[in-house]
Amino acid sequence: MSKRVIFDFDISFTNGGGIQGQEFRLDIGGESISDKELADYIVWDMRLLMVGKVKIINKRYIVEEHKRSPISLAQGEELIDLSHTVFDGLVTYKGLPAPVICDYLSREQSKEIYEKGVTVQIGRIDMVANTGTYIDCPFHFFEEGTDLSEVPLNAFTGLNGITIEAKGVTEIGIDFFKNKEIRNKAVLVHSGWATNWNTEAYFTDHPYVTKEAAEYLRECDVKLVGIDSHNIDDTRGKARPVHSTLLGADILIVEHMCNLDMLPAAGYTFHAVPPKVKGMGTFPVRAYAKL
């Protein structure tokens, strides 16, 4: 059924003054909307600046035919999370230790430090850099290559993305990238292998990009290559030609991605920012796409 929200509002500005409204009605797409979401939408829709406190008052819902398309809380943007969750005991790569996640200071212990009613938790994690969804920069393979602290921030964020569909294919060759607008793009390879995440099947016979395809990507000056598989290289041997080719050309790599099936072919930006750590070439990221 069509739901509408009716409400009053009181908005104050940080430079003085304010505005009020009574009995406003807005179409909504679901059954309800929070005060915070409603306040954010009003500020955006009215193009208000220097807004301070926003109070939503007398909010209620009615069933009534919509007068326009339901409001978009994302205001024209949608974020797609492309990262796996890192948890205690997660095995990302066989042979490497799983992360140990625990309390450094527990809430119970904090009761002895802070005033009554105040508790805090300080967490501790012990892990190798190749855990979860992570990004590789040149230092991972090359001693003189740039490490996480030296790669410029704009190499990690705001990259125009393109999705390469390669589901059901083990050897992802050069033909998957030809006749595509890939120059200066973040090229994300959707193999569909993420459905095997955290199972034994994830580690063997996984999809990978070929050496020839990596050389083609390098020639096309792509910015970054990501894949939702166990490794961008074929791990049955000791060679890692794709890592060597791409990282040797300062092209970043993101592995162990997920939700690539939720991306369009193009028309989005890709973001995967690691901490600024000196002397490391790999680290987990919260990778996401902004549609």
Side-chain angles (χ1 to χ4, degrees):
M1 294 186 294
S2 298
K3 279 291 187 78
R4 307 189 84 203
V5 60
I6 304 176
F7 61 98
D8 304 337
F9 65 81
D10 187 338
I11 299 175
S12 60
F13 296 103
T14 58
N15 60 342
I19 59 173
Q20 296 78 39
Q22 291 80 39
E23 292 290 307
F24 262 58
R25 297 189 179 201
L26 283 177
D27 303 329
I28 59 174
E31 291 295 311
S32 63
I33 182 172
S34 70
D35 287 0
K36 175 65 166 60
E37 291 171 324
L38 193 51
D40 289 344
Y41 178 77
I42 295 168
V43 170
W44 172 80
D45 196 41
M46 298 178 70
R47 307 297 193 269
L48 300 178
L49 301 174
M50 304 187 75
V51 173
K53 185 175 182 180
V54 179
K55 291 176 62 178
I56 303 297
I57 311 163
N58 302 324
K59 184 177 69 176
R60 62 192 189 277
Y61 303 96
I62 62 171
V63 177
E64 189 173 86
E65 183 179 352
H66 284 172
K67 302 298 188 291
R68 61 174 180 173
S69 298
I71 66 173
S72 170
L73 301 180
Q75 300 165 12
E77 295 179 348
E78 182 180 0
L79 301 182
I80 305 296
D81 193 341
L82 306 176
S83 301
H84 289 291
T85 299
V86 175
F87 55 86
D88 183 69
L90 168 69
V91 177
T92 300
Y93 203 103
K94 275 197 170 182
L96 296 180
V100 177
I101 303 173
C102 59
D103 291 337
Y104 174 76
L105 177 69
S106 70
R107 297 192 184 280
E108 193 62 32
Q109 292 170 329
S110 74
K111 291 179 181 179
E112 302 176 5
I113 300 174
Y114 300 96
E115 66 179 17
K116 187 176 181 180
V118 177
T119 64
V120 302
Q121 185 263 4
I122 299 177
R124 178 172 179 168
I125 182 168
D126 181 5
M127 67 178 186
V128 296
N130 296 57
T131 297
T133 302
Y134 54 77
I135 196 164
D136 294 338
C137 65
F139 185 74
H140 181 42
F141 264 58
F142 301 99
E143 184 176 1
E144 301 302 322
T146 51
D147 65 18
L148 293 170
S149 70
E150 296 167 328
V151 177
L153 190 57
N154 61 9
F156 298 121
T157 185
L159 306 177
N160 290 322
I162 180 172
T163 309
I164 303 298
E165 290 295 337
K167 191 173 181 180
V169 178
T170 300
E171 188 175 276
I172 303 168
I174 191 172
D175 289 341
F176 283 89
F177 306 99
K178 286 187 174 181
N179 300 314
K180 299 288 196 309
E181 189 61 53
I182 61 176
R183 186 177 182 82
N184 290 325
K185 298 286 182 66
V187 180
L188 306 185
V189 181
H190 174 222
S191 71
W193 203 248
T195 57
N196 295 313
W197 176 253
N198 199 33
T199 70
E200 281 296 318
Y202 188 74
F203 305 109
T204 57
D205 300 323
H206 63 83
Y208 60 89
V209 174
T210 66
K211 177 178 182 290
E212 292 73 24
E215 291 170 346
Y216 182 76
L217 291 167
R218 179 188 62 193
E219 291 167 3
C220 292
D221 284 329
V222 304
K223 294 287 188 181
L224 175 149
V225 183
I227 192 169
D228 57 348
S229 181
H230 177 53
N231 201 297
I232 201 168
D233 265 300
D234 183 357
T235 57
R236 291 173 296 182
K238 294 184 178 181
R240 296 293 183 268
V242 178
H243 278 85
S244 298
T245 299
L246 297 180
L247 297 180
D250 291 327
I251 298 170
L252 304 179
I253 298 171
V254 181
E255 295 172 306
H256 308 283
M257 302 180 74
C258 62
N259 296 331
L260 296 187
D261 57 312
M262 299 176 66
L263 296 179
Y268 61 89
T269 55
F270 178 71
H271 312 258
V273 184
K276 192 176 182 179
V277 183
K278 186 69 178 172
M280 292 189 73
T282 300
F283 209 85
V285 290
R286 186 69 177 265
Y288 66 95
K290 181 183 290 187
L291 307 189

